C-alpha cells in the first residue's frame, strides 16, 4: 500500500509544482482549453444532429405507429449522444497531449530542470514527436477499447457486475491515463511504449495511486483542463523515480540554477534546448 500512497503523492506534488510556478500553469492550460473548445463544438453539433442520424440509420421504422416510433428513435438518439460523450471522455487526454505536445514537453523539461540532474531531450523534430505521440495514443486507445468491451460484458454478471467490475474499470482507466501522462517524460528519455508499459506494470500500485484519483477527478466537467498541467508535472516527477537519470557531471552552474527557478515557459519546436516565447 506504500506505493499507492506514493503515487497519489506525486499527483499532489505535481499540482503544487504548477501552483508555485504560475506562468507554467497558465502555459499548460492552453492545450486543454483549445481541446475543450473543439470537443464542445463537436458535442453541440452531435446534439443537434443525433436525431437526424438516428432517423437515417433506421429507415425500417418509418412506418411504425405512434408512440413506438418516437420512443424507439428517442432512445436511439440518446444512445448516440451518450456514445459520443463516452468517446470524448476517453479520448480527451490523448487529444490534449497530442495538441499540446510542444507545450507539455517544455513543461516536463522545466520540472526536470527544477529538480536537478540531467534534463533529457528527445532530439527529434516536432513532426516526428507528433507522429510517435499519435501512434502510441491509438495503440493505447485500442487497448482501452478492448478492456472496455470485456468489462462491459462482465458487467451483466449479477452482483460482481455491479460491484467489482466498476472498480476494475476505474483501475484500467487509471493505469492507461498514467501511461499517457508519463509518456511525455519517459518519451524524452527514449523509452518506447512497450518499455513504458513494463515499467508501469512493475510498479502497478504506484501507477494506480497516481492514475485512479485523476480518472475520478476527470469525471467532473472542466476539471481535466485545470488539472492537466499539474498532472503532467506530477507524471514527470513520478517518471524520475521509474527511470532516474544519472546526476550531471560537475557542480551545477549558477545559470542552470537560475533557469530552473525562474525560466519563462517555452515551446520546443525542434530538438535541443527550448527557446523563450512571449510572456503569458
Amino acid at each position: 500500500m506504500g506505493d499507492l500512497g506514493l503515487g497519489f503523492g506525486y499527483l499532489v506534488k505535481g499540482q503544487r509544482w504548477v501552483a508555485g510556478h504560475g506562468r507554467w500553469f497558465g502555459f499548460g492550460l492552453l492545450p486543454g482549453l483549445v481541446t475543450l473548445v473543439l470537443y464542445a463544438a463537436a458535442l453541440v453539433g452531435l446534439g443537434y444532429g443525433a436525431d437526424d442520424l438516428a432517423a437515417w440509420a433506421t429507415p425500417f421504422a418509418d412506418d411504425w405507429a405512434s408512440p413506438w416510433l418516437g420512443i424507439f428513435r428517442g432512445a436511439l438518439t440518446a444512445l448516440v449522444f451518450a456514445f459520443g460523450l463516452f468517446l470524448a471522455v476517453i479520448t480527451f487526454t490523448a487529444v490534449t497531449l497530442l495538441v499540446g505536445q510542444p507545450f507539455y514537453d517544455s513543461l516536463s523539461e522545466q520540472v526536470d530542470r527544477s529538480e536537478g540532474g540531467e534534463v533529457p531531450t528527445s532530439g527529434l523534430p516536432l513532426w516526428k514527436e507528433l507522429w510517435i505521440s499519435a501512434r502510441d495514443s491509438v495503440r493505447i486507445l485500442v487497448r482501452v477499447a478492448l478492456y472496455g468491451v470485456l468489462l462491459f460484458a462482465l458487467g451483466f454478471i449479477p452482483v460482481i457486475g455491479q460491484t467489482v467490475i466498476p472498480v476494475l474499470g476505474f483501475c484500467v482507466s487509471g493505469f492507461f491515463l498514467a501511461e499517457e501522462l508519463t509518456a511525455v517524460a519517459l518519451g524524452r528519455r527514449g523509452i518506447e511504449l512497450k518499455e513504458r508499459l513494463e515499467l508501469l506494470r512493475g510498479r502497478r500500485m504506484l501507477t494506480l495511486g497516481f492514475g485512479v484519483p485523476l480518472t475520478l477527478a476527470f469525471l467532473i466537467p472542466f476539471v481535466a483542463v485545470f488539472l492537466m498541467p499539474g498532472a503532467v508535472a506530477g507524471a514527470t516527477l513520478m517518471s524520475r523515480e521509474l527511470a532516474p537519470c544519472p546526476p550531471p557531471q560537475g557542480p551545477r552552474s549558477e545559470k542552470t540554477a537560475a533557469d530552473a527557478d525562474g525560466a519563462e515557459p517555452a515551446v520546443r519546436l525542434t530538438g535541443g534546448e527550448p527557446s523563450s516565447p512571449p510572456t503569458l
Side-chain angles (χ1 to χ4, degrees), residues 108-127:
S108 179
E109 285 180 19
Q110 185 63 21
V111 173
D112 269 330
R113 190 171 290 110
S114 70
E115 293 297 306
E118 183 182 346
V119 181
T121 57
S122 67
L124 299 174
L126 178 62
W127 70 266

Side-chain angles (χ1 to χ4, degrees), residues 35-50 81 84-85 88:
T35 307
L36 180 64
V37 170
L38 294 175
Y39 270 62
L43 287 173
V44 169
L46 180 62
Y48 278 107
F81 187 79
L85 188 61

Side-chain angles (χ1 to χ4, degrees), residues 6 20 22 29 53 127-128 143 157 181 209 247 268:
L6 187 59
L29 281 179
L53 180 62
W127 70 266
K128 193 163 187 178
R143 286 174 167 85
I157 301 175
L181 290 166
R268 183 166 54 82

